[in-house]
Amino acid sequence: MSRRRSLQLALLLGPAVALIGLLFLYPLFGVMKQSLFNPGFTLESFDKLATSPVAAIVLRRTFLLALTVTLLCCVLGYPIAYYLATMSKRWRAFFLYLILLPFWISVLIRTYTWMVLLGREGLVNKALLGLGLVDQPVQMLFTGFAVHLAMVQILLPIMILTCFAAMVEIDPQLVRAARTLGASPFKAFARVFFPMSIGGAAAGAIICFILSLGFYVTPALLGGRRNIMLANLIDFEVHQTLNWSFASALALVLLAATLVLLALFRLVAPERRLHG
């Protein structure tokens, strides 16, 4: 029986392990080899990464962008998720459908839509000129504002759905019991509902932050050369300077940052807190 179970387990997990090894581990080792061997063993790429002012600026800008986008998604997404979790089930499905609707549209198409809206001849500038709020078109395209706006619009549904999944599992009788025992609406929310939903909010925040670190299309189209991010710098090193070794080192930094964030998240918010 033990051998049979081991064989069944191997047959079940074998295709998944082979797929992960072929599509993830093998390319990862290739990137590590590319960054450490050129052609012999060298740390030149990492030395350049540590001393390059351009790399330092891009890394700082990337992490700051990811942090601000994540904070905006938390501030906007949590109240929306709370509203969805507390509304009647009759209307909840309709609003969830509206939140899921953007996932049916490509990120590239949504980014191009923001270019149309935020351009000097776009709808936003025409509306501002028509209302008399400005005398000339405002430069919104190719700015950090445009990048933040588009990235929040793309990642906000993920934050809403992650928070909603945690909130909908909370028994509403607990909040009613707190109110019955004399707690005010705010205190019942702060002492009962919020601590039980913080796991979903934290999970949504870490997902948004990690996805923000690797954004490529949106910063490239809406940010311009002055708002280049880490993924854009990697693309530049691969296609323009043909410095594959330095690009691999940058990619490893991005991977290492993601793994560190996941480890810290698991340390700060263990599984028992994520699930109440």
Side-chain angles (χ1 to χ4, degrees), residues 235-248:
D235 176 75
F236 179 82
E237 294 293 337
V238 170
H239 293 98
Q240 301 297 326
T241 64
L242 302 180
N243 192 346
W244 285 67
S245 180
F246 186 54
S248 300

Side-chain angles (χ1 to χ4, degrees), residues 58-208:
V58 171
L59 284 171
R60 183 169 61 250
R61 182 187 298 140
T62 300
F63 280 90
L64 182 61
L65 172 70
L67 180 61
T68 53
V69 168
T70 301
L71 290 176
L72 288 172
C73 288
C74 291
V75 172
L76 297 174
Y78 188 91
I80 298 175
Y82 177 77
Y83 178 73
L84 288 173
T86 55
M87 71 187 319
S88 63
K89 294 183 179 180
R90 179 181 179 182
W91 289 100
R92 182 185 296 171
F94 173 73
F95 284 104
L96 285 175
Y97 169 78
L98 294 180
I99 293 172
L100 290 170
L101 190 60
F103 288 114
W104 300 357
I105 305 173
S106 169
V107 174
L108 182 62
I109 296 176
R110 282 185 274 174
T111 304
Y112 275 122
T113 303
W114 281 112
M115 294 181 68
V116 174
L117 292 174
L118 300 178
R120 295 184 65 87
E121 300 296 330
L123 297 178
V124 176
N125 268 315
K126 288 183 178 179
L128 293 176
L129 291 171
L131 295 173
L133 299 178
V134 295
D135 298 328
Q136 57 183 0
V138 180
Q139 179 63 37
M140 290 180 286
L141 201 58
F142 307 125
T143 62
F145 167 76
V147 177
H148 280 80
L149 186 62
M151 288 181 62
V152 169
Q153 187 265 333
I154 293 170
L155 295 175
L156 186 58
I158 298 176
M159 186 69 192
I160 294 174
L161 294 175
T162 309
C163 291
F164 171 79
M167 293 177 181
V168 77
E169 297 294 330
I170 300 175
D171 189 355
Q173 297 295 335
L174 297 175
V175 179
R176 296 193 186 100
R179 294 292 310 280
T180 303
L181 294 174
S184 63
F186 176 78
K187 185 172 290 187
F189 170 81
R191 299 291 295 274
V192 178
F193 190 90
F194 182 74
M196 299 184 69
S197 64
I198 193 63
I206 197 68
I207 292 173
C208 290

